[in-house]
Amino acid sequence: MSAKKLLLIDDDLELTELLKEYLSPQGYELDVAHDGEAGLSLATSNKHYDLILLDVMLPKLDGFEVLKKLRTSHLTPVLMLTAKGDDYDKIFGLEMGADDYLAKPFNHRELSARIKALVRRMALLPSGSVQQNLKLGDVVLSPSAQQVFCADNIVELTGTEYSILHLLMINQGSLVSKQDISEKVLGRKLAAFDRSIDMHVSNLRKKLAVFSPEEKIKTHRGAGYLYVVPA
Amino acid sequence: MSAKKLLLIDDDLELTELLKEYLSPQGYELDVAHDGEAGLSLATSNKHYDLILLDVMLPKLDGFEVLKKLRTSHLTPVLMLTAKGDDYDKIFGLEMGADDYLAKPFNHRELSARIKALVRRMALLPSGSVQQNLKLGDVVLSPSAQQVFCADNIVELTGTEYSILHLLMINQGSLVSKQDISEKVLGRKLAAFDRSIDMHVSNLRKKLAVFSPEEKIKTHRGAGYLYVVPA
DNA sequence: TTATGCATTTACACAAGCTTTACATTCCCT
DNA sequence: AGGGAATGTAAAGCTTGTGTAAATGCATAA
């Protein structure tokens, strides 16, 4: 397990220093931003943080604004911190899409335990479903560009093919039922005798096979499809 | 999106009633258990709760014990509740595998917001990834992939074979009647002279025997089959 | 309008896998 | 022991899901 990357957005220099010293020995890589704008730009950069610690009272862009803008494009987990122990604030933050909320002053060990709990839970998510390039064997899928490369060649996929591949890759090693594919990709229930998904998968396989011989999408008869985790 | 199923384990009758009335209109299905044992048995049943609200002070089995036992087999998210606002308690709970911790008395809206945050986060997990693998001796069964490994080799099973193995492994050490297998796996009553199950078990044994010599599925003549608990 | 690109439906061949048959074997019970 | 019933299993039969080419539909662009 590689070191988890955290981003701390807080303008309190004393606190950020303290937390840096406290969290580093626990095996976290901690970046710090001292205002909302800098924080947001780091958070949306390609550094792909595992967790963001976000203060509410911030210069330039307050915590709620940062959270709101972040959530338009990223699902990175966010733990909010605030000087005010205000219930309303807490509820507002959580409703806006924060994952946890801790009032200052907090017990360092509680912060550490909450970070650990969030990171642990997020580790169950398949790698990269929080929007970064998915690389599996010789296939690379780039969500930002909606492009797929196979053995360094661009693969020209249609929108639906791309979405199906994306879904399967996110769920690498797990079975995805046709029902799920239909609902998530085509936006409709799978009807009896609907062969649409089969066709898209067939075309997808054909296009990938041009550049790479290994079987990537496995069929589970009567159940669905599965993206094979490369050795 | 179907209604989320919550399990509340708390012996405070007044509180459970209150929460039931508070949470139902918000679109949650809430089951209640009033002691640790009942709670654990519901939590590990096949009802598949989306979230468990767990009080610490409980008759029969306290909250920490319930959490500990639950986590040996299930990854269901847990939000702990406690009368004591004790930091040590909080940290202990989170370290044990709880996902969140709220001290009583709490603001109902905060509880609701925290439930929402957890459920929202869990919804990102691909369906089925909360089920954890079943490991018995050198056999590992992965429900999310519907795949089975034996002595580190993938065993290619058909859907029916997989289901039968799953059923037997879940009931390790106890007898499962052919009637039960037929009804749960094939979805029909076992008819006289129906040799279907026998065939599937035979094929299953053959496939497992390729990688491991020990007998895993034992026959109880006239009664059914049993998965042997490994030494 | 006509072209173009993509999603969907149709059609059919094929293969996977569930079930049945048939016979060998094993396990009880007397 | 011997006989009958339950089980093991190979092989055949049959049903159904899947792969895929080709036709169709249906937008949007030229």
Side-chain angles (χ1 to χ4, degrees), chain B residues 135-155:
Chain B
K135 188 168 184 303
L136 278 143
D138 52 7
V139 177
V140 180
L141 182 147
S142 155
S144 61
Q146 294 211 6
Q147 256 178 180
V148 173
F149 299 83
C150 181
D152 298 322
N153 304 283
I154 289 189
V155 188

Side-chain angles (χ1 to χ4, degrees), chain A residues 46-169:
Chain A
N46 58 2
K47 298 206 68 174
H48 303 301
Y49 294 99
D50 295 288
L51 174 62
I52 296 172
L53 306 172
L54 180 58
D55 187 23
V56 174
M57 301 279 282
L58 282 172
K60 296 198 184 169
L61 210 62
D62 80 37
F64 293 127
E65 287 298 315
V66 172
L67 179 60
K68 195 168 148 191
K69 295 209 168 155
L70 177 72
R71 279 284 175 269
T72 61
S73 60
H74 288 65
L75 294 168
T76 322
V78 168
L79 195 167
M80 297 202 81
L81 304 169
T82 186
K84 298 184 274 182
D86 193 348
D87 276 356
Y88 177 78
D89 247 39
K90 280 195 199 178
I91 292 156
F92 186 64
L94 292 167
E95 298 264 342
M96 296 253 314
D99 289 87
D100 201 350
Y101 207 108
L102 195 52
K104 292 187 196 175
F106 48 77
N107 180 325
H108 284 188
R109 293 198 52 213
E110 180 176 354
L111 176 68
S112 163
R114 285 191 182 272
I115 290 173
K116 208 189 281 181
L118 267 171
V119 166
R120 177 181 58 213
R121 178 56 70 185
M122 292 308 292
L124 297 179
L125 280 170
S127 60
S129 59
V130 193
Q131 197 86 358
Q132 41 186 295
N133 285 0
L134 278 162
K135 187 169 184 305
L136 282 153
D138 51 7
V139 177
V140 180
L141 181 146
S142 154
S144 49
Q146 292 230 344
Q147 260 185 350
V148 174
F149 299 83
C150 182
D152 299 322
N153 304 283
I154 290 189
V155 188
E156 295 286 349
L157 298 182
T158 69
T160 309
E161 284 157 10
Y162 169 84
S163 300
I164 291 178
L165 183 62
H166 185 52
L167 183 65
L168 290 177
M169 284 179 80

